[in-house]
Amino acid sequence: MPSISQPTRSGPITVMIVDDHEVVRRGIAEVVERTDGMTVVAEAGSVGDGVRRAGLVRPQVMLVDLQLPDGTGIDLMRAVRESQPEARAIVLTSFDDDDALAAALEAGAAAYLLKSVRGAEITDVIRAVAAGRTLLDERTVTRRKAGHEDPTENLTPSELRVLDLIGEGLSNREIAERLGVAEKTVKNHITSLLAKMGLQRRTQVAAWVASRKHAGWRAEPGH
């Protein structure tokens, strides 16, 4: 008798792919279809379409992007979970974001993958999740957060403001004018925030701010 962690369906593992980029969807679909024992039963490019198609095909596993035109993959997982608690979800995204990871866990995702993974890894995770395994748990989130301390947590309010303005591309003189302080004061703030953040150059600060803006998975749907 099979254990309760094993899929109860016979036949191939049924997979639905939800991503608003058709090229991405097709690429993932080709990987899945080339793998023995699994098949793509639906594709969707939005939360609304994903919920509707999931209701029609009732997939065993959903591969879900975080950013969608009409919401997030979290919204989709929650909606499907209400009507199909047996459906299992894998987040497949470009956002290596602790908040997103925690939200995915709360929404019931069984795994969290970055789009940089190899195709074989995706299908291995699909197979594991379909078999009842959960690869994302509270310990994963806690362990990641412990290793991703915020380098800005010790910055003063003035230093945080300077940090934001560097990220906007302003020069020291422009920052001084914006804040109504001497340019030397701005330089002192930069020296201090570099030391606190463990950075050496102003350009590294700008790059860090840019990376954080990119990591904001809720901010700009469609990426």
Side-chain angles (χ1 to χ4, degrees):
M1 179 179 296
S3 68
I4 58 174
S5 66
Q6 293 176 325
T8 56
R9 303 183 188 188
S10 59
I13 299 166
T14 56
V15 180
M16 183 174 81
I17 302 166
V18 185
D19 193 297
D20 64 331
H21 291 92
E22 183 179 1
V23 172
V24 174
R25 290 200 309 270
R26 294 312 309 154
I28 298 169
E30 287 178 10
V31 170
V32 173
E33 290 287 356
R34 286 200 307 263
T35 304
D36 290 338
M38 58 185 70
T39 185
V40 176
V41 291
E43 296 180 28
S46 67
V47 174
D49 197 25
V51 172
R52 183 179 65 83
R53 289 174 185 265
L56 293 172
V57 302
R58 304 188 73 82
Q60 286 175 272
V61 178
M62 300 184 299
L63 284 171
V64 183
D65 191 12
L66 280 180
Q67 286 193 334
L68 298 167
D70 56 345
T72 70
I74 304 300
D75 300 327
L76 171 67
M77 287 187 288
R78 286 175 176 157
V80 173
R81 190 179 178 185
E82 289 184 7
S83 59
Q84 299 179 57
E86 75 282 1
R88 312 210 73 207
I90 299 168
V91 169
L92 182 62
T93 182
S94 58
F95 293 93
D96 188 11
D97 183 292
D98 289 343
D99 290 337
L101 188 74
L105 172 64
E106 193 275 331
Y112 191 100
L113 292 174
L114 296 179
K115 288 182 178 178
S116 56
V117 301
R118 294 176 302 168
E121 292 179 69
I122 294 176
T123 53
D124 285 347
V125 171
I126 290 173
R127 191 171 284 108
V129 167
R133 290 182 60 193
T134 296
L135 309 180
L136 174 62
D137 57 24
E138 191 65 50
R139 287 173 297 177
T140 305
V141 177
T142 302
R143 188 164 57 246
R144 272 181 54 110
K145 286 188 174 180
H148 288 71
E149 295 180 0
D150 184 357
T152 67
E153 63 182 356
N154 294 320
L155 300 189
T156 67
S158 294
E159 290 166 353
L160 285 169
R161 184 65 179 138
V162 170
L163 180 77
D164 288 338
L165 294 175
I166 290 175
E168 291 179 20
L170 273 63
S171 67
N172 288 358
R173 178 178 295 180
E174 290 169 331
I175 293 173
E177 292 175 354
R178 179 78 66 88
L179 299 180
V181 300
E183 189 172 346
K184 182 178 180 181
T185 300
V186 173
K187 290 179 180 178
N188 289 339
H189 284 322
I190 293 175
T191 299
S192 177
L193 69 86
L194 284 173
K196 291 179 180 179
M197 294 180 69
L199 302 176
Q200 297 176 333
R201 296 182 299 279
R202 193 182 192 282
T203 52
Q204 291 176 310
V205 176
W208 185 88
V209 175
S211 70
R212 292 302 297 169
K213 287 181 178 178
H214 178 69
W217 60 278
R218 295 181 189 270
E220 300 177 6
H223 294 283

